[in-house]
Amino acid sequence: MIRLEARTAPSQLMGVLSPLLAFATTMLVAGAIFAALGKDPLQGLQVFVLEPFNGLRALSELGLKSTPLILCALGLALSYRSNVWNIGAEGQFLMGAIAGGGLALWVTTAELAIPKLAFFPLLVVAGALGGAAWASIVALLRDRFNANEILVSLMLVYIANLLLSWLVFGPWKDPNGFNFPQTVSFAANTEVPRLIPGMRLGWGLPVALLAALAMWLFMFRTYRGMQLQVGGPAPLAARYAGFSSRAAIWTTLLVSGGLAGVAGAFEVAGPMGQLTPHVSSGYGFTAIIVAFVGRLHPLGTILASLVLSTFLIGGELAQSRLGLPSALTGIFQGVLLLALLACDTLVQYRPRWSRSS
Amino acid sequence: MSGLPTVTPAAAPRLRLERVTKRYGAVVANDGVALTVQPGEIHSILGENGAGKSTLVKIIYGAVRPDAGVIEWNGRPVQIRSPHEARHLGVAMVFQHFSLFDTLTVAENVWLGLSRRVPLRAVVDGIRAKAAEYGLELEPDRAVHTLSVGERQRVEIVRALLAEPQLLILDEPTSVLTPQAVERLFVTLRQLAATGCSILYISHKLDEIRALCHQCTVLRGGRVTGTCDPTQETTASLSRLMIGAEPPRLVRRESERGALALRVRDLSLPRLDRFDVPLERVSLDVHAGEIVGIAGVSGNGQQELLAALSGEDPRAEDGAVRIFDQPIGRLHSAARRRLGLHFIPEERLGRGAVPSLSLASNLLLTRRESLRRFGWIDRGALRTQTSGIIERFNVKSGGPGAAARSLSGGNLQKYIVGREIDAVPKVLIVAQPTWGVDVGAAAQIRGELLALRDAGCAVLVVSEELDELFAMTDRLHVISKGRLSPSIATEAATVELVGEWMSGLWGEEAAGATAAAPGRAAGAPPAPGEAP
């Protein structure tokens, strides 16, 4: 029988080992699933885990998928550290996409000759405003009426989704689009500048990396960032110190909403090039897993987003190469998160093998 | 005072421990401990915090398995693998922190721990019978949340007695009682011992042990440093066994009372939660250069009053709380701190400090000296400042980078006290300054508070330890059921009087007591511009 014994101090080693252990567990489960589906587990894992790194184009796609994940997860990490449970990054992402896409649409239809480099910062601002405005609804309801931010932020995802659908099925629909629910393709000058010619990876990634660096400085080098992180683990200490919980709610929601919004704007003005009902492939939800796998640490977020985007691409590859359902991606994400939560127990507890009497 | 133990030497001891050792990592909590408890004996385990008392008790109660050693029960070697097995043997325990459900009645709470085949009616009758047998007033049908802390303890004791134990363990049972209630508890315990039940009494209060116990085993650093008959010892000799040195003495000067610093007038606050205590027209003054104490049994409004004074609960009327005549009732704690009011809460982990953050980061909770423009943290300055406090207050820690939770309770308390004292506050409010702190550290903290007073700070101490209040304060209030008594000069106060006040009984007599201390009376002249 295995018994768990509380450690006197949390294990530093396990803090590092736990994500690796969780990843290994996920790979074992993945192999078992491949075998159960009648595929060679090694080949399956090779397609799922290694193939996404094969070649410059694959790496560009990996970076492209990581960009929204990093941006969304950074804000979520800050929120969760502050005990603000925003799980609606998906909705904030969509509102950023609507704001950024709307701006691009306006430039396209008005045929404004604005240079690419001048449009990019405008796009960032539009996305951030869109996402932050959506998150501010959550903050307002929590602040004024103490409404649960988990429920509110989640429900706002569905509203954002419907709003997007209404726009692309209605007023923003491309008149020459054979009635498909999509806008016109945006003009070339609205596109997010690309990093490497011929590859889809754009400036979004460096922006996301800079945001991670900025978030790290904010969290660990500024008073404000430190204040925000007291409310999560020790709400009584925050009250004792006089750190405002209202400020924490507003700051974290506006920052995480803004970052998710920027991610949405990059997505529509980057690889999509137009607004459709399917702007996001669940980035805002996947980012929750990214934030936790990355230990709610800005730099950990970068690594975790690489892992999760590997799964996203691996799922698509498994579908096209092996004929496996792409739902595998979701399963692996779920297994990873569960395994991580289980492994995290080992940070605080020590397993003891003892014979039951 | 203490009856002779009803010990029949021929009989096997009720409990005998030999060479019991328990290690936690590198720390040896119990090192070859021997303990013998005879039937009908009231045996005290005396030791400072961290001496290994709780580990030893947990081993006897089956909550912790020893690494080595022998346990004999009525002469027979036993292994106590779980509290369940301990109860089966006849060991009962009353914990320092009660495990009662507030919303259930007394009988329902007791019933929860019993076999479900027993009908509730029988439990009610059983409680009545036990309570009557030991002269404990207890109404089985009352909801627990309506009971005072002393009554709750009675529930725990009756619950333990219903199991007809052969050994009853009490862990610091008097920390929540008025002096009068302590006397009543002792009567019950002596009566119980006379029936042959052994009692293991865990405490660090030397007077109580001398008054109650037949035998005493003293622990220091996990080892037994001696066994003695406490009735034959003096407080000083017991203390020497416990800490290995003479107890440090407080040297104090007369207070030089200065300007009125903290002024509370008619502070009333409704409860926030149904188990809170509402405050009723609390008034008090603290002048610069004096230490005012608030005595009282826990749960009588101390928490609520402290939160209203510190700013954690800013619901008070603005003018109800003033420092240096500036109304602060609605300011939050950071704003009050900027005006010179600092507060040391009783919970160190989670309130006074964030467990997961380093000592340096925890400094930022109340100190802003190492902040630069735009809230940028000067980490070098922060480390230096933290190291300074660690050194000055002799905090044993892994340095400024050590997480707060890695410190022992006493060292963390020294750090938090140091953090606030080092800020040179104008008004300092302290809750339970030496709770869970060893004798040496307690003396140091009390000395620092006195030095702060002598430097002209107004200090308000809220404590449940009467000894501490009598040793440190210049004036005393007593809080009971959310109301605050008038103040009395500490030198004019007696334990009996304060004990009576703890039950809420002041009034004419109290007014007399206050008047009996001329020049130090509570009724300070109204501040200028204040309506009478």
Side-chain angles (χ1 to χ4, degrees):
Chain A
M1 195 179 74
I2 303 173
R3 291 205 318 173
L4 289 177
E5 225 180 60
R7 293 180 195 269
T8 41
S11 160
Q12 300 264 326
L13 177 71
M14 265 302 156
V16 178
L17 274 186
S18 164
L20 299 177
L21 213 58
F23 184 76
T25 311
T26 311
M27 287 302 106
L28 278 177
V29 173
I33 290 177
F34 285 131
L37 289 169
K39 306 287 175 194
D40 177 11
L42 285 182
Q43 194 201 355
L45 287 180
Q46 197 255 332
V47 168
F48 221 94
V49 184
L50 296 182
E51 206 62 15
F53 290 93
N54 192 5
L56 192 59
R57 183 168 302 278
L59 288 176
S60 152
E61 290 300 305
L62 208 56
L64 197 67
K65 287 257 190 289
S66 297
T67 305
L69 289 180
I70 295 174
L71 284 168
C72 291
L74 282 177
L76 294 184
L78 182 71
S79 301
Y80 299 161
R81 275 176 182 262
S82 323
N83 220 17
V84 174
W85 298 97
N86 173 16
I87 60 168
E90 179 79 1
Q92 294 137 23
F93 176 97
L94 291 176
M95 292 311 285
I98 290 173
L103 184 71
L105 188 64
W106 175 63
V107 168
T108 305
T109 47
E111 294 178 28
L112 295 179
I114 180 170
K116 228 177 183 177
L117 294 185
F119 182 78
F120 185 68
L122 294 179
L123 179 75
V124 172
V125 171
L129 286 178
W134 206 239
S136 71
I137 301 176
V138 184
L140 184 74
L141 293 180
R142 163 85 194 265
D143 185 18
R144 288 285 296 153
F145 305 107
N146 203 21
N148 185 310
E149 77 276 13
I150 304 177
L151 294 177
V152 173
S153 62
L154 180 64
M155 290 192 291
L156 281 171
V157 172
Y158 305 120
I159 299 178
N161 232 324
L162 291 171
L163 184 65
L164 173 65
S165 293
W166 174 71
L167 285 172
V168 294
F169 275 98
W172 286 5
K173 189 164 65 179
D174 179 3
N176 307 317
F178 306 102
N179 222 15
F180 277 110
Q182 58 192 33
T183 62
V184 295
S185 291
F186 300 146
N189 59 345
T190 66
E191 196 195 36
V192 173
R194 300 192 179 198
L195 279 180
I196 312 159
M199 305 279 165
R200 298 207 295 165
L201 184 61
W203 281 18
L205 184 65
V207 170
L209 295 179
L210 279 177
L213 186 67
M215 183 62 81
W216 183 80
L217 287 172
F218 176 68
M219 275 185 182
F220 303 120
R221 290 290 182 271
T222 71
Y223 189 48
R224 187 107 264 235
M226 179 266 172
Q227 286 185 333
L228 290 181
Q229 293 173 63
V230 171
L236 288 178
R239 202 142 55 118
Y240 163 68
F243 299 162
S244 157
S245 59
R246 295 185 59 201
I249 292 168
W250 281 98
T251 314
T252 56
L253 279 167
L254 291 182
V255 167
S256 62
L259 285 169
V262 171
F266 284 169
E267 198 65 13
V268 282
M272 308 282 300
Q274 63 182 164
L275 265 176
T276 78
H278 310 290
V279 170
S280 168
S281 35
Y283 289 124
F285 291 124
T286 308
I288 298 174
I289 307 178
V290 171
F292 278 105
V293 173
R295 323 257 76 175
L296 306 184
H297 191 287
L299 307 181
T301 298
I302 297 175
L303 289 176
S305 74
L306 266 180
V307 173
L308 271 292
S309 33
T310 310
F311 284 6
L312 285 175
I313 294 174
E316 288 167 14
L317 289 172
Q319 191 174 25
S320 61
R321 301 259 182 94
L322 305 173
L324 289 171
S326 67
L328 276 181
T329 302
I331 293 176
F332 292 172
Q333 288 176 356
V335 171
L336 180 66
L337 183 63
L338 271 182
L340 182 78
L341 292 176
C343 291
D344 276 355
T345 312
L346 299 176
V347 178
Q348 302 287 350
Y349 294 88
R350 178 202 322 275
R352 271 287 171 89
W353 277 264
S354 64
R355 266 158 304 188
S356 57
S357 48
Chain B
M1 186 162 265
S2 76
L4 281 173
T6 55
V7 178
T8 24
R14 176 63 35 83
L15 177 75
R16 202 168 73 84
L17 267 59
E18 211 178 299
R19 302 187 314 277
V20 165
T21 299
K22 176 70 191 176
R23 283 187 197 82
Y24 290 105
V27 182
V28 187
N30 282 162
D31 188 359
V33 170
L35 172 74
T36 306
V37 184
Q38 301 294 345
E41 182 180 75
I42 305 181
H43 193 115
S44 106
I45 297 181
L46 174 65
E48 290 191 87
N49 285 288
K53 287 177 299 186
S54 13
T55 305
L56 188 61
V57 168
K58 281 181 191 157
I59 288 173
I60 297 170
Y61 197 58
V64 165
R65 302 275 299 271
D67 297 326
V70 181
I71 303 178
E72 278 179 23
W73 179 254
N74 290 329
R76 200 165 47 84
V78 286
Q79 293 224 344
I80 307 174
R81 278 181 288 255
S82 68
H84 180 79
E85 287 189 22
R87 284 193 293 270
H88 193 73
L89 284 174
V91 182
M93 177 147 181
V94 174
F95 290 92
Q96 191 177 3
H97 301 285
F98 308 143
S99 42
L100 297 172
F101 292 95
D102 279 333
T103 49
L104 299 182
T105 67
V106 171
E108 285 165 343
N109 265 290
V110 173
W111 196 32
L112 276 179
L114 299 173
S115 149
R116 232 173 299 161
R117 280 190 297 267
V118 184
L120 183 59
R121 214 52 251 166
V123 176
V124 171
D125 293 341
I127 293 173
R128 287 232 167 82
K130 266 298 166 218
E133 187 182 341
Y134 288 96
L136 299 166
E137 289 163 43
L138 197 58
E139 187 44 63
D141 294 324
R142 267 179 69 186
V144 163
H145 70 85
T146 65
L147 301 182
S148 73
V149 186
E151 289 170 316
R152 287 174 202 219
Q153 186 181 53
R154 253 175 259 159
V155 180
E156 292 274 12
I157 290 175
V158 167
R159 169 151 83 181
L161 292 182
L162 280 172
E164 305 289 345
Q166 295 180 44
L167 174 69
L168 177 66
I169 306 173
L170 295 140
D171 186 9
E172 301 274 0
T174 58
S175 59
V176 294
L177 300 180
T178 63
Q180 284 84 353
V182 169
E183 263 316 306
R184 279 202 296 280
L185 172 70
F186 283 5
V187 171
T188 306
L189 295 182
R190 288 188 192 111
Q191 190 187 345
L192 181 64
T195 68
C197 178
S198 306
I199 294 171
L200 209 48
Y201 188 89
I202 320 301
S203 182
H204 65 274
K205 293 185 182 168
L206 305 172
D207 297 335
E208 291 178 0
I209 288 170
R210 289 178 56 219
L212 178 72
C213 300
H214 307 131
Q215 270 295 322
C216 177
T217 296
V218 188
L219 289 179
R220 188 187 338 141
R223 292 166 169 275
V224 174
T225 51
T227 55
C228 58
D229 177 352
T231 54
Q232 305 299 316
E233 301 285 331
T234 62
T235 305
S237 65
L238 280 179
S239 181
R240 233 185 344 264
L241 276 174
M242 180 164 80
I243 61 176
E246 281 289 334
R249 298 202 67 82
L250 270 186
V251 189
R252 51 177 299 173
R253 301 191 280 122
E254 260 317 285
S255 92
E256 285 171 28
R257 193 158 128 174
L260 180 58
L262 176 69
R263 171 182 160 84
V264 181
R265 275 298 169 278
D266 290 332
L267 170 65
S268 297
L269 277 184
R271 64 185 92 200
L272 271 175
D273 185 284
R274 83 188 253 216
F275 302 121
D276 282 353
V277 179
L279 295 179
E280 262 179 68
R281 305 196 49 180
V282 170
S283 296
L284 74 103
D285 290 317
V286 188
H287 295 80
E290 70 171 346
I291 300 186
V292 173
I294 296 183
V297 175
S298 73
N300 270 289
Q302 288 96 330
Q303 289 297 338
E304 292 79 3
L305 176 61
L306 286 167
L309 295 183
S310 72
E312 290 160 290
D313 179 358
R315 291 181 299 145
E317 272 177 51
D318 217 9
V321 187
R322 290 166 184 265
I323 63 172
F324 300 108
D325 212 35
Q326 180 171 357
I328 58 165
R330 293 212 177 277
L331 296 183
H332 60 79
S333 34
R336 293 186 196 194
R337 206 172 286 120
R338 276 194 286 275
L339 294 171
L341 182 144
H342 281 246
F343 170 51
I344 300 171
E346 63 184 73
E347 301 99 337
R348 291 139 210 171
L349 274 182
R351 187 162 167 201
V354 185
S356 54
L357 293 185
S358 67
L359 292 181
S361 292
N362 270 301
L363 192 67
L364 291 170
L365 287 183
T366 62
R367 307 290 299 277
R368 306 164 55 101
E369 290 87 346
S370 48
L371 294 182
R372 301 292 171 259
R373 268 203 303 171
F374 310 118
W376 197 257
I377 299 168
D378 183 339
R379 290 170 58 84
L382 184 64
R383 283 187 73 89
T384 314
Q385 200 189 356
T386 311
S387 303
I389 292 174
I390 290 175
E391 206 166 303
R392 175 174 161 200
F393 291 89
N394 195 16
V395 180
K396 290 196 193 80
S397 72
R405 67 170 159 229
S406 70
L407 270 67
S408 74
N411 278 302
L412 187 58
Q413 177 72 347
K414 279 198 270 184
Y415 179 71
I416 293 172
V417 169
R419 180 180 73 191
E420 304 312 317
I421 287 181
D422 183 70
V424 198
K426 295 186 183 117
V427 177
L428 181 65
I429 300 171
V430 197
Q432 315 292 354
T434 59
W435 218 5
V437 166
D438 64 49
V439 177
Q444 187 193 349
I445 288 173
R446 288 173 190 156
E448 291 282 357
L449 291 176
L450 278 174
L452 198 66
R453 176 201 81 162
D454 293 340
C457 175
V459 183
L460 179 69
V461 180
V462 176
S463 175
E464 285 157 31
E465 305 246 2
L466 271 185
D467 298 351
E468 172 166 276
L469 290 174
F470 277 110
M472 282 177 61
T473 60
D474 301 304
R475 284 189 295 127
L476 263 181
H477 289 270
V478 177
I479 192 166
S480 172
K481 302 193 184 82
R483 299 188 309 125
L484 194 71
S485 77
S487 77
I488 179 169
T490 304
E491 52 204 29
T494 61
V495 174
E496 287 70 30
L497 180 77
V498 171
E500 253 169 52
W501 285 14
M502 281 181 180
S503 329
L505 303 174
W506 59 79
E508 296 311 311
E509 185 196 356
T514 306
R520 293 178 148 214
E530 180 81 359

